[in-house]
Amino acid sequence: MNIEDIIKPENLVFKKTGLLTEKPLSYCPGCGHGVAHRLVMEVIEEMGIEEKTIGIAPVGCSVLAYEFMNIDMQQAAHGRAPAVATGVKRVLPDHFVFTYQGDGDLAAIGTAETIHACNRGENITIIFINNGIYGMTGGQMAPTTLPGMRSSTSPYGRDVASMGHPLKMTELVAHLPGTCYVARHAVHTPANVTKTKKSIRKAFEYQRDKKGLSFVEIVSNCNSGWKMTPVDSNQWMEENMFPFYPLGVIKDIDAKTK
Amino acid sequence: MGELRLMKGNEAIAEAAIRAGVDAYYGYPITPQSEILEYLMQERPEERTGMVVLQAESEIASINMVYGAAGAGKMTMTSSSSPGMSLMQEGISYIAGAELPCLLVNVVRGGPGLGTIQPSQADYFQSTKGGGHGDYRLIVLAPSSVQEMSDFVKLGFELAFKYRNPALIQSDGAIGQMMEKVELFDQQPRLTMDQLYEKYGSWATLGHKRNDRRIITSLELESARQEQFNFKLQAKYKAISENEVRYESIMCDDADYIFVAYGTSARICQKSIQLGRAKGLKLGLLRPITLWPYPTAPLQELAKRVKGFLAVEMSAGQMVEDVRLAVGNQIKVEHYGRFGGMIPSPEEVLHVMEENIIKGTK
């Protein structure tokens, strides 16, 4: 059987969404960003909202997200994406606005913008990629770096006595009255990908229904920064990141209570 | 004739913003400009015109909210005073780099640091020479009356959208706080979404089809292309320099000696001219209205026939550098300034003109 006999439209079971551009991703092979990008774009395509959605790219590994996400995009200064998103959403209240941010951007330099956008209940969606490290700049310690975890600026491991503790932003924003939906997921296995996509969909639906700020964290690997193979990094993530950053829906104002 | 009112300068800016059809104001309180945000909140502009007014958590957030809304093609503004403007410089650089139109207002107070809440003009360098990182320029308008506080809101937005460049009203604590008669312009309608798509849809992120989308960014990692973009910016700044210089020439026609001053200092110099002319001294005033682009050519024309210039500023000598750049060493140029929130008296300014300029050049 030739390959041409297999690749036929009727045999297609998966197709890249047209809301991802043809530009090759700039992310390291094995990194979770590619899947996270795809899920956000698939949700926007499936909801039919692509022509009224504006994405805000951060500074960090996903600084070039606007090159890959095939919708209107703005590139924000480091940490300021929630403020930029607020500015857009307030003047285009019937459009969909989301930010896509890493841990350095969202949980260090942009902490104030993140907390206040959440607390105001800005009707936007925040997608937060947490890999516990500054990937873009070469693997420095992030606000989410685990205790004892090595990075180029914590080469002997994060010493919480002198370097402070990792910040659980997702639990923190879940406490704020302005957030309507807060969840933490991963994208390293098919089952987790499915759960993540469901949550992203819910986040955008809540935005559509003007319920407040929806916040989805994706705990991801950084095989380059962690200096591991992709497979090892995913295993390390399961063993070390997940116990500290447990997965699941943390807050859902519409959840049916039993 | 438009509606006449007695207003503070800060209030005039706020009222003019509503009347100009501004879509959004994002700001943070700081003395001596808090009346702008207070007046806007008091007026319920969301009911008058649908204008958005939001108190942000910081000036850093304000300016980035401006970036977002301006990137959507909306008429967007913020205001602050010196320490707050310092916080905004990062965002202003990004706005200039992304070529977004917006209006900024700086009601300048004394510095450096927390300084004082009293009037000053010591932010001239910050406003006209950069402030943030990179090669960029702001269009800087310097009102010297409450009337101009109102008028320059409209003018600032016209220039900002004409060139897709941030414009700045550089005021000071005196003009912001003092009350004068102001003739307000009539209410302008805000643009509808259809009008927005038609006018600014070619660049603004208003929502577009895939493969025909808009991107607002100041990033270009490839150096050769970043240089090309900088050439484009410089060409725009050259066009602004050639077309948008504004100044007022007061009693310069027969003058031997010229004050160069803007804003509050220009008002003081006008009184000094009266006092000097009463003594037979032929004094005039060149008042830059645009601090950038600077009125270099009119100063050069005056330099051909007058005997000296005195730059009067509430700073240690910032604008005087542009006077010297314009007229060189062929003619006497001196600076007189008070700072830290002190305002010079007309008598004091006249005395300096007589002692430091006129005596030495007779």
Side-chain angles (χ1 to χ4, degrees):
Chain A
M1 191 181 266
N2 294 322
I3 192 156
E4 288 78 18
D5 297 326
I6 302 168
I7 304 175
K8 289 177 181 171
E10 60 268 31
N11 290 337
L12 273 181
V13 291
F14 176 82
K15 194 166 173 259
K16 191 182 87 171
T17 165
L19 287 190
L20 286 173
T21 63
E22 293 304 311
K23 200 173 172 90
L25 292 174
S26 51
Y27 304 109
C28 306
C31 166
H33 267 305
V35 177
H37 275 37
R38 173 168 68 78
L39 296 182
V40 175
M41 289 299 110
E42 281 178 355
V43 165
I44 289 169
E45 183 175 47
E46 287 161 17
M47 287 177 70
I49 57 173
E50 59 188 80
E51 288 176 32
K52 52 186 307 190
T53 301
I54 291 128
I56 314 296
V59 170
C61 285
S62 46
V63 64
L64 290 170
Y66 61 83
E67 300 252 4
F68 314 123
M69 296 180 173
N70 197 358
I71 55 168
D72 277 10
M73 295 284 290
Q74 294 196 13
Q75 200 286 312
H78 197 19
R80 319 300 177 214
V84 172
T86 298
V88 176
K89 185 72 182 191
R90 290 284 178 132
V91 294
L92 297 174
D94 296 325
H95 282 54
F96 291 80
V97 180
F98 72 92
T99 72
Y100 186 100
Q101 304 173 257
D103 42 72
D105 194 84
L106 180 139
I109 195 166
T111 317
E113 286 78 7
T114 304
I115 288 177
H116 283 278
C118 288
N119 200 43
R120 282 193 304 268
E122 290 298 337
N123 194 33
I124 60 172
T125 298
I126 291 180
I127 308 293
F128 168 36
I129 310 295
N130 173 13
N131 57 15
I133 204 158
Y134 284 81
M136 167 69 94
T137 44
Q140 293 84 10
M141 185 178 72
T144 49
T145 298
L146 296 176
M149 189 173 165
R150 288 167 194 264
S151 73
S152 66
T153 52
S154 57
Y156 308 108
R158 180 174 193 155
D159 168 30
V160 295
S162 66
M163 299 169 179
H165 296 267
L167 189 53
K168 295 185 182 184
M169 278 298 277
T170 304
E171 279 81 357
L172 201 156
V173 302
H175 285 296
L176 304 174
T179 52
C180 60
Y181 183 77
V182 181
R184 181 187 286 125
H185 293 290
V187 291
H188 67 310
T189 66
N192 279 288
V193 168
T194 306
K195 283 183 195 166
T196 305
K197 187 169 172 183
K198 256 188 201 163
S199 264
I200 294 173
R201 169 97 190 196
K202 198 159 214 175
F204 278 90
E205 285 173 352
Y206 277 32
Q207 183 178 164
R208 177 193 64 202
D209 299 339
K210 302 194 189 309
K211 289 177 195 270
L213 193 140
S214 45
F215 188 104
V216 179
E217 173 181 341
I218 297 170
V219 180
S220 182
N221 62 333
C222 176
N223 40 285
S224 302
W226 297 354
K227 305 196 189 310
M228 297 176 195
T229 66
V231 172
D232 287 350
S233 70
N234 281 331
Q235 197 183 335
W236 191 90
M237 176 171 73
E238 284 184 357
E239 290 166 1
N240 297 278
M241 294 284 275
F242 292 176
F244 196 87
Y245 299 112
L247 307 187
V249 176
I250 297 167
K251 179 182 187 181
D252 181 351
I253 56 164
D254 275 3
K256 290 176 185 69
T257 46
K258 284 172 189 168
Chain B
M1 190 164 191
E3 185 188 345
L4 289 177
R5 277 204 221 165
L6 182 68
M7 298 183 100
K8 276 190 172 191
N10 289 337
E11 293 168 347
I13 286 208
E15 178 62 29
I18 301 172
R19 288 179 183 236
V22 170
D23 295 299
Y25 169 97
Y26 304 105
Y28 186 82
I30 182 171
T31 307
Q33 65 79 54
S34 297
E35 293 86 355
I36 299 175
L37 178 56
E38 288 172 348
Y39 184 96
L40 286 171
M41 287 293 188
Q42 185 76 31
E43 280 296 306
R44 296 187 184 281
E46 73 279 9
E47 288 174 10
R48 275 179 64 180
T49 65
M51 176 183 178
V52 169
V53 182
L54 180 63
Q55 179 170 336
E57 64 270 28
S58 68
E59 290 89 348
I60 297 172
S62 309
I63 194 67
N64 283 282
M65 290 174 185
V66 169
Y67 178 100
K74 298 279 187 169
M75 276 178 85
T76 314
M77 66 182 287
T78 186
S79 64
S80 190
S81 180
S82 309
M85 293 307 290
S86 294
L87 276 173
M88 290 188 188
Q89 294 306 318
E90 174 200 44
I92 294 172
S93 171
Y94 277 67
I95 286 170
E99 295 199 85
L100 301 180
C102 65
L103 182 66
L104 319 167
V105 179
N106 183 4
V107 184
V108 182
R109 60 188 249 184
L114 204 48
T116 171
I117 59 172
Q118 304 300 334
S120 167
Q121 295 180 317
D123 294 357
Y124 181 91
F125 284 156
Q126 185 192 59
S127 303
T128 65
K129 310 290 180 190
H133 57 282
D135 276 319
Y136 74 89
R137 295 286 192 177
L138 304 178
I139 299 165
V140 185
L141 302 168
S144 72
S145 64
V146 175
Q147 183 66 54
E148 285 186 336
M149 290 286 256
S150 166
D151 295 346
F152 288 179
V153 170
K154 213 174 173 184
L155 175 63
F157 272 111
E158 280 167 18
L159 294 173
F161 275 91
K162 183 176 175 185
Y163 294 100
R164 272 187 65 188
N165 201 72
L168 169 73
I169 294 178
Q170 173 101 337
S171 177
D172 63 62
I175 308 235
Q177 293 296 326
M178 72 184 186
M179 294 185 87
E180 284 187 315
K181 183 178 74 178
V182 54
E183 183 186 348
L184 297 165
F185 53 84
D186 293 337
Q187 179 66 51
Q188 317 282 306
R190 289 176 54 238
L191 292 184
T192 63
M193 277 304 280
D194 284 346
Q195 289 170 326
L196 269 173
Y197 269 105
E198 198 189 316
K199 289 188 85 160
Y200 309 125
S202 62
W203 56 267
T205 57
L206 289 158
H208 289 85
K209 291 186 194 306
R210 63 175 75 180
N211 302 323
D212 180 35
R213 64 216 184 82
R214 308 293 177 260
I215 297 170
I216 301 294
T217 183
S218 60
L219 178 67
E220 176 50 70
L221 289 167
E222 205 179 298
S223 300
R225 275 195 271 177
Q226 183 62 259
E227 187 183 42
Q228 284 308 311
F229 173 69
N230 269 269
F231 281 136
K232 183 186 155 206
L233 276 186
Q234 292 305 317
K236 174 169 86 174
Y237 299 148
K238 186 161 179 279
I240 297 172
S241 300
E242 286 168 358
N243 299 321
E244 306 301 345
V245 171
R246 285 167 170 78
Y247 63 95
E248 187 183 12
S249 179
I250 297 171
M251 305 187 86
C252 288
D253 288 350
D254 66 338
D256 293 326
Y257 302 96
I258 303 289
F259 292 109
V260 188
Y262 67 94
T264 293
S265 295
R267 297 282 290 262
I268 293 162
C269 288
Q270 278 178 264
K271 184 67 185 173
S272 306
I273 290 171
Q274 278 182 19
L275 298 173
R277 290 217 169 226
K279 293 163 86 173
L281 300 171
K282 289 185 176 173
L283 305 179
L285 167 67
L286 194 290
R287 175 172 81 93
I289 292 173
T290 49
L291 301 185
W292 193 88
Y294 197 71
T296 301
L299 279 170
Q300 288 169 338
E301 278 305 307
L302 284 170
K304 290 175 187 167
R305 57 176 180 79
V306 303
K307 295 174 183 167
F309 292 97
L310 181 65
V312 180
E313 306 168 68
M314 296 187 296
S315 79
Q318 300 191 13
M319 183 195 68
V320 66
E321 293 189 3
D322 284 332
V323 180
R324 290 205 176 101
L325 272 174
V327 304
N329 296 324
Q330 302 306 309
I331 187 165
K332 186 153 185 162
V333 176
E334 290 222 358
H335 165 262
Y336 182 67
R338 298 292 300 270
F339 22 96
M342 296 300 287
I343 301 176
S345 71
E347 293 78 8
E348 174 182 357
V349 168
L350 177 62
H351 179 74
V352 175
M353 176 63 104
E354 288 182 277
E355 291 298 312
N356 295 10
I357 304 283
I358 298 176
K359 264 191 187 169
T361 51
K362 259 185 179 165

